Amino acid sequence: MVLQNAPDTILHSLKASLSAQISNQRSSEETHYAGFQEATSNLAAPEAVATELVSETLAVRSSFDVARKGGALQEFGDFYDISSWEKYLEVMPMHEYLKKEGLTGGLKNKERPPGNATTFDRQKTLWDYIRRATDVFPVGPDAHVVAFGLPAHVNTSKALHEYHPEADAIIDGRNLLCYGSDLHARKSLHFTSMYNGGKRYLAHFYGFLYFADQKVDAFMKRFVRDHMHYRNDIFCRATKVIDLLRRNASDKNGGYDAIHIRRGDFQFKEARLDIEDIFKAVEDVIDPGSLVYIVTDEKNSTLFDPVRDLYRLRFYEDFYKAAGLEDMDPNLTGMVEQIIASGARTFVGTYFSTFTAFITRMRGYLGRNPGFYYLEKFKYALQSPGKNFYASGANFVREWPVAYTNLDLA
């Protein structure tokens, strides 16, 4: 992962922050790689990889299996603007990586890919091979925090508490792993997705990685904000719906509100309230009569009938033709809806939902009030940024203000 075009002061700071831990153990001509396994549970994997290693090539699988509508496997670039990453990182599709390193015996034990293939229809075959042929990153966010730029004597959680007490909220009882020369010297580091052994990256990158230099920390968060985002054409699709909503808003400023109601197979049953109870819970933050965009995976639209006289409800289907969404890949629907919700005047989401969480982070990036939750005990959790500023350990159920606050001041 090669950082290019970054401000000189930041690059200097990046190098300085690592110099105490990392000696030059690499051949200047050898390419080093970092890669990750895509999975629905690997919330932080792309962001963690992109911010963790400062001198690698990022190996991204060119196509991967998702819960999709339609036949073809999705490419990572179908969702994210990889060209934006390449301003700072050298990105190599997985099939090119396997051709360059796997087929030539350049990986661990000189093991070649099964059948000398460079593309795989079955994920398990690919990832089993990658785990054998590369160095799997040794820790995950469940039990560890990875630290950069700490003095040599600050190598335990207790020592970090004494060095920087504010880091306690991030550590949250976990162990500390200082990124040093041993990890830096590995040719290929792989961030896997394993439900056992703490290797499931179901956590926010900023709750897993700790940068002692605050300028570096802010730079990494800006990198995620400014470059690890959905493709521009996805934003354009969403903007068409936002424009139509604003035209139909009752106030002169074109204000509309949004609520995300997670249903389906959601495992957190306490968040499964009746629709009427949800709207009753939010009536103090969304005025009756308001235009409200509903983001939901609930298939039975009649459940919303009891509140249609109280609020002007709109759904994705209402804009299907007017916004020209008929020819859009249906796998992009969720991303379009997240952007629509991020543009709302007021947003109310589902606590425990990572889908809601990313909406609140995008709203934070835009300088908007991040939002509320319809579960009463969490309703105002995002309204107390001072009290809950830092990520609480590997807590994935919500976003935290440290992800989007004061990033341009450092």
Side-chain angles (χ1 to χ4, degrees):
M1 185 178 296
V2 182
L3 282 174
Q4 305 165 341
N5 304 327
D8 291 344
T9 54
I10 293 297
L11 284 178
H12 175 76
S13 186
L14 281 168
K15 294 173 182 176
S17 69
L18 294 170
S19 61
Q21 297 177 336
I22 298 173
S23 58
N24 186 15
Q25 296 185 4
R26 294 180 171 175
S27 165
S28 60
E29 298 180 355
E30 185 179 35
T31 302
H32 289 243
Y33 304 87
F36 62 91
Q37 178 179 352
E38 307 96 348
T40 54
S41 63
N42 259 16
L43 180 70
E47 294 171 343
V49 171
T51 57
E52 180 132 10
L53 306 172
V54 298
S55 56
E56 317 296 329
T57 293
L58 178 62
V60 179
R61 188 179 177 196
S62 59
S63 62
F64 61 97
D65 199 4
V66 295
R68 63 193 185 280
K69 301 175 183 177
L73 294 178
Q74 299 292 295
E75 294 187 1
F76 206 79
D78 289 340
F79 307 107
Y80 286 92
D81 183 8
I82 294 180
S83 65
S84 184
W85 305 6
E86 291 175 325
K87 296 176 182 177
Y88 296 92
L89 311 171
E90 182 182 348
V91 180
M92 177 180 290
M94 182 62 76
H95 68 274
E96 292 183 14
Y97 167 71
L98 293 177
K99 181 179 180 180
K100 179 181 178 182
E101 300 292 348
L103 295 183
T104 61
L107 298 180
K108 186 188 290 185
N109 299 323
K110 298 185 178 181
E111 182 178 355
R112 289 171 169 77
N116 286 329
T118 57
T119 59
F120 295 85
D121 291 331
R122 295 185 67 250
Q123 288 195 90
K124 186 176 186 303
T125 302
L126 170 64
W127 300 127
D128 285 349
Y129 165 71
I130 290 294
R131 282 192 285 267
R132 295 192 305 269
T134 65
D135 290 304
V136 174
F137 198 76
V139 300
D142 288 351
H144 287 83
V145 171
V146 179
F148 294 79
L150 288 172
H153 70 281
V154 183
N155 54 13
T156 65
S157 298
K158 182 179 179 180
L160 180 57
H161 164 74
E162 296 173 356
Y163 179 77
H164 185 199
E166 285 186 328
D168 287 354
I170 300 174
I171 293 295
D172 195 35
R174 294 177 292 174
N175 298 314
L176 187 69
L177 173 68
C178 293
Y179 181 86
S181 56
D182 177 59
L183 287 173
H184 200 61
R186 308 294 176 91
K187 180 172 183 175
S188 287
L189 277 175
H190 174 63
F191 289 72
T192 189
S193 177
M194 298 173 64
Y195 286 83
N196 299 319
K199 298 291 179 60
R200 187 185 181 200
Y201 291 91
L202 188 56
H204 301 304
F205 75 97
Y206 55 85
F208 178 46
L209 310 178
Y210 172 83
F211 296 94
D213 188 322
Q214 293 305 297
K215 290 183 178 180
V216 175
D217 182 75
F219 171 80
M220 293 302 185
K221 291 185 173 78
R222 288 197 304 272
F223 172 78
V224 170
R225 179 193 67 186
D226 298 340
H227 299 286
M228 302 199 72
H229 53 70
Y230 299 145
R231 286 189 343 225
N232 289 341
D233 61 303
I234 298 176
F235 276 90
C236 289
R237 298 275 190 171
T239 300
K240 292 181 179 179
V241 178
I242 291 173
D243 182 57
L244 290 168
L245 281 165
R246 287 177 173 168
R247 291 183 191 181
N248 286 277
S250 56
D251 72 314
K252 63 181 181 180
N253 294 318
Y256 68 95
D257 303 306
I259 302 178
H260 171 227
I261 301 173
R262 178 72 161 87
R263 310 286 275 192
D265 60 351
F266 200 41
Q267 68 269 40
F268 298 99
K269 301 306 180 186
E270 65 182 288
R272 195 181 182 90
L273 304 183
D274 291 338
I275 299 300
E276 290 177 272
D277 292 336
I278 290 174
F279 278 85
K280 185 175 181 179
V282 305
E283 62 184 7
D284 62 327
V285 295
I286 298 181
D287 295 332
S290 298
L291 178 64
V292 181
Y293 183 83
I294 303 297
V295 184
T296 185
D297 57 347
E298 175 57 64
K299 303 302 183 184
N300 184 4
S301 61
T302 63
L303 294 178
F304 292 87
D305 289 349
V307 297
R308 289 183 188 273
D309 290 337
L310 299 175
Y311 293 91
R312 300 168 58 209
L313 304 185
R314 297 292 185 273
F315 297 82
Y316 181 81
E317 293 77 12
D318 296 326
F319 302 95
Y320 200 63
K321 291 185 178 180
L325 302 173
E326 305 103 312
D327 63 341
M328 189 184 78
D329 181 348
N331 292 299
L332 304 180
T333 301
M335 299 169 197
V336 168
E337 293 207 275
Q338 284 183 314
I339 297 168
I340 296 168
S342 73
R345 176 179 54 191
T346 301
F347 172 69
V348 177
T350 303
Y351 200 80
F352 304 111
S353 165
T354 54
F355 188 92
T356 276
F358 192 59
I359 293 171
T360 63
R361 194 206 293 185
M362 286 196 289
R363 292 178 63 84
Y365 286 157
L366 294 169
R368 294 191 171 102
N369 185 316
F372 305 84
Y373 298 104
Y374 59 74
L375 282 178
E376 190 61 36
K377 66 179 178 180
F378 303 116
K379 189 172 185 177
Y380 302 103
L382 295 170
Q383 305 304 310
S384 304
K387 181 180 179 181
N388 297 297
F389 186 76
Y390 291 100
S392 177
N395 197 331
F396 68 90
V397 300
R398 52 161 292 187
E399 292 280 352
W400 308 81
V402 69
Y404 50 78
T405 303
N406 299 331
L407 303 189
D408 298 296
L409 299 181

